[in-house]
């Protein structure tokens, strides 16, 4: 509510076009962008490392975790791909901008090898001071893989360290977000002051339609197709998980719906307890289909609206980047929005339009939370279908061994 009030005040002061207020808005917006850039790459790095380094290592945990991560990666990549296809079709930033990326790549011309080699930095700190987002992602994945391969005692210490660092960065983020109403006023004031036509409003409407439609296609078509492929009824799964989806929608939180999701999975879907109680908490952390779609569409829309051009390879690479970012989101409040701003700030893209999107994010967040829980439920159902025969066989063998050892 306070953000809506700040936005409304920005509309009023923007139309009044007072020089003193315009200068104040410029100062506030510049300071806010500087603070976002300050935390942009650390958020991406520590979110990924703290999440991935906490994966289990016992054999059963590996087996369950491997299945969950497999379907998490599959569904997240599908969500990002659907988002890119819809973005290119709807072209909220304008058809010309989308086509220009194919004609004038922003990466190196003639060969993509320099661009691909740039993903691997020459030193550990280089991607941070050069704002190389792909380099930061590469370092985070490499370091996470190394930590997961360590002995348990080293792994525990390092995971605690990076988890604490991520908590500290998010505490900084929380302090910066307290200035969000002032920033919304400043950016909306600038937006209204600079508004020369209705085109940006039309583009914003197309952007919102693109985000919503990408989520609906993922939830209503792609995930049910995966369930059908495994012989699972999407309709029965939806009915079984409906109470948890309702809680997620109105609470705007996947974590808040977790107890309901576990209960519905065990009692209504018939998922084995060990699967439900392992898969759903892990999915709440790493499986965020709607977040991948939001990051991809938002970053491309804001970038292209500010004249940034993308080559075909760069557009395709955003499927991977958005998927990795969504998996490493770690359930942070407003995580999708903050990661989008982190990418844009690291790319040097002006963030005024992103702040204009903020008042609409509350509504988007409700839909995304429900769809994330629906995706978690689908992944859990798929994992249960894969592991159920092996679990029943193992239980049968254990029962036979137990009976055979009884004295008769």
């Amino acid at each position: 509510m306070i953000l809506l009030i700040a936005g409304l005040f920005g509309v009023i002061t923007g139309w009044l076009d007072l020089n003193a207020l315009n200068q104040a808005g410029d100062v506030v917006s510049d300071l806010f962008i500087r603070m976002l850039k300050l935390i942009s790459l650390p958020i991406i790095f520590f979110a990924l490392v703290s999440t991935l380094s906490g994966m289990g290592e016992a054999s059963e945990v590996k087996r369950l975790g491997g299945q969950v991560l497999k379907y998490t990666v599959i569904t997240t990549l599908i969500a990002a791909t659907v988002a890119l296809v819809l973005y290119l079709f709807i072209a909220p930033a304008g058809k010309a901008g989308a086509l220009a990326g194919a004609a004038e790549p922003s990466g190196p011309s003639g060969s993509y090898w320099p661009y691909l080699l740039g993903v691997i930095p020459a030193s550990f700190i280089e991607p941070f001071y050069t704002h190389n987002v792909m380099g930061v992602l590469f370092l985070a994945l490499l370091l996470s893989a190394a930590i997961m391969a360590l002995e348990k005692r080293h792994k525990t210490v390092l995971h605690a360290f990076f988890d604490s660092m991520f908590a500290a960065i998010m505490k900084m983020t929380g302090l910066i977000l307290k200035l969000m109403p002032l920033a919304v006023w400043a950016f909306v004031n600038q937006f209204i002051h600079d508004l020369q036509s209705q085109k940006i409003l039309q583009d914003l409407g197309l952007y919102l339609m693109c985000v919503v439609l990408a989520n609906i296609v993922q939830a209503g078509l792609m995930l049910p197709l995966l369930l059908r492929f495994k012989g699972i009824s999407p309709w029965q799964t939806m009915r079984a998980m409906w109470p948890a989806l309702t809680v997620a929608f109105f609470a705007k939180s996947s974590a808040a719906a977790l107890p309901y999701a576990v209960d519905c999975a065990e009692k209504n879907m018939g998922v084995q307890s060990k699967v439900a109680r392992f898969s759903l908490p892990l999915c709440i952390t790493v499986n965020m289909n709607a977040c991948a779609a939001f990051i991809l569409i938002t970053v491309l829309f804001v970038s292209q609206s500010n004249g940034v051009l993308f080559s075909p390879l760069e557009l395709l690479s955003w499927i991977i980047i958005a998927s990795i970012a969504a998996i490493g989101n770690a359930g942070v409040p407003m995580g999708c929005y903050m990661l989008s701003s982190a990418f844009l700030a690291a790319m040097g893209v002006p963030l005024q339009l992103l702040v204009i999107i903020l008042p609409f994010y509350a509504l988007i967040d409700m839909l995304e939370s429900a769809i994330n829980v629906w995706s978690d439920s689908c992944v859990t159902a798929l994992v249960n279908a894969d592991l159920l025969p092996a679990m029943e066989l193992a239980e049968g063998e254990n029962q036979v061994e137990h009976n055979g050892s009884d004295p008769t």
Side-chain angles (χ1 to χ4, degrees):
M1 178 61 70
I2 190 170
L3 294 179
L4 292 176
I5 295 174
L8 180 60
F9 187 62
V11 171
I12 295 173
T13 57
W15 282 115
L16 291 175
D17 195 17
L18 300 175
N19 188 53
L21 290 177
N22 290 338
Q23 291 181 350
D26 291 340
V27 172
V28 170
S29 61
D30 183 58
L31 289 175
F32 190 74
I33 289 173
R34 286 174 177 269
M35 287 187 288
L36 284 180
K37 288 183 177 181
L38 174 68
I39 62 172
S40 59
L41 291 181
I43 283 180
I44 297 171
F45 180 78
F46 287 114
L48 277 171
V49 177
S50 66
T51 299
L52 298 180
S53 64
M55 299 299 176
E57 60 180 359
S59 59
E60 187 171 22
V61 172
K62 282 186 176 180
R63 185 163 57 113
L64 279 170
Q67 289 292 318
V68 172
L69 291 177
K70 178 182 74 174
Y71 286 116
T72 289
V73 171
I74 291 172
T75 57
T76 307
L77 286 173
I78 290 174
T81 302
V82 168
L84 179 60
V85 170
L86 286 172
Y87 179 85
L88 294 176
F89 178 75
I90 297 174
K95 294 286 184 182
L99 295 175
E104 289 183 58
S106 61
S109 59
S111 173
Y112 286 117
W113 279 113
Y115 172 75
L116 295 176
L117 290 175
V119 171
I120 303 176
S123 69
F124 201 92
I125 62 172
E126 178 190 322
F128 291 94
Y129 69 76
T130 60
H131 290 284
N132 181 356
V133 178
M134 290 295 291
V136 170
L137 290 174
F138 175 80
L139 284 178
L141 292 175
L142 189 63
L143 182 59
S144 298
I147 292 174
M148 286 189 284
L150 292 174
E151 295 180 5
K152 185 176 181 180
R153 59 192 181 93
H154 295 308
K155 178 181 175 181
T156 302
V157 171
L158 286 173
H159 172 63
F161 170 75
F162 284 107
D163 197 46
S164 298
M165 288 297 297
F166 179 62
I169 292 294
M170 290 313 301
K171 184 64 69 173
M172 291 175 58
T173 304
L175 296 175
I176 293 173
L177 287 177
K178 291 183 182 297
L179 301 176
M180 188 65 80
L182 190 60
V184 169
W185 164 77
F187 284 121
V188 172
N189 179 81
Q190 286 184 329
F191 174 73
I192 297 298
H193 174 68
D194 297 335
L195 188 62
Q196 301 296 326
S197 67
Q198 298 298 315
K199 183 181 182 302
I200 187 61
L201 298 179
Q202 177 184 345
D203 290 349
L204 188 60
L206 291 174
Y207 157 79
L208 294 172
M209 182 179 72
C210 192
V211 171
V212 172
L213 193 57
N215 284 311
I216 291 175
V217 170
Q218 176 72 4
L221 179 62
M222 307 309 295
L223 292 175
L225 283 176
L226 278 176
L227 292 176
R228 283 289 185 191
F229 181 75
K230 286 290 184 179
I232 304 171
S233 170
W235 173 243
Q236 291 181 0
T237 304
M238 175 71 76
R239 287 182 59 188
M241 299 303 300
W242 188 254
L245 302 181
T246 304
V247 172
F249 181 82
F250 288 106
K252 294 188 290 186
S253 170
S254 301
L258 178 58
Y260 300 92
V262 172
D263 188 64
C264 291
E266 293 180 4
K267 296 181 179 178
N268 301 342
M269 274 207 299
V271 174
Q272 292 205 29
S273 294
K274 65 170 62 177
V275 174
R277 296 176 187 183
F278 179 88
S279 175
L280 285 168
L282 181 57
C283 283
I284 290 295
T285 304
V286 300
N287 185 50
M288 300 189 181
N289 291 184
C291 186
F294 179 85
I295 290 173
L296 186 143
I297 293 172
T298 302
V299 170
L300 294 183
F301 172 68
V302 176
S303 298
Q304 289 192 330
S305 296
N306 284 282
V308 177
L309 304 179
F310 295 94
S311 69
L313 178 61
E314 288 170 330
L315 289 172
L316 290 175
S317 70
W318 273 104
I319 294 177
I320 307 298
I321 296 172
S323 299
I324 294 173
I327 290 172
N329 183 20
V332 177
M334 289 186 67
C336 303
Y337 184 89
M338 290 307 301
L339 282 171
S340 299
S341 67
F343 280 122
L344 290 165
M347 294 163 60
V349 176
L351 301 181
Q352 286 86 343
L353 187 55
L354 184 66
V355 181
I356 300 299
I357 293 170
L358 182 61
F360 300 97
Y361 185 73
L363 298 176
I364 296 173
D365 197 24
M366 297 175 74
L367 179 63
E368 288 182 344
S369 297
I371 289 175
N372 283 335
V373 173
W374 169 236
S375 176
D376 299 342
S377 306
C378 293
V379 168
T380 300
L382 292 168
V383 171
N384 188 69
D386 281 351
L387 298 181
L388 186 59
M391 288 182 173
E392 289 178 343
L393 179 62
E395 289 178 0
E397 291 175 350
N398 291 336
Q399 186 65 33
V400 169
E401 292 177 0
H402 175 73
N403 293 337
S405 63
D406 288 340
T408 55

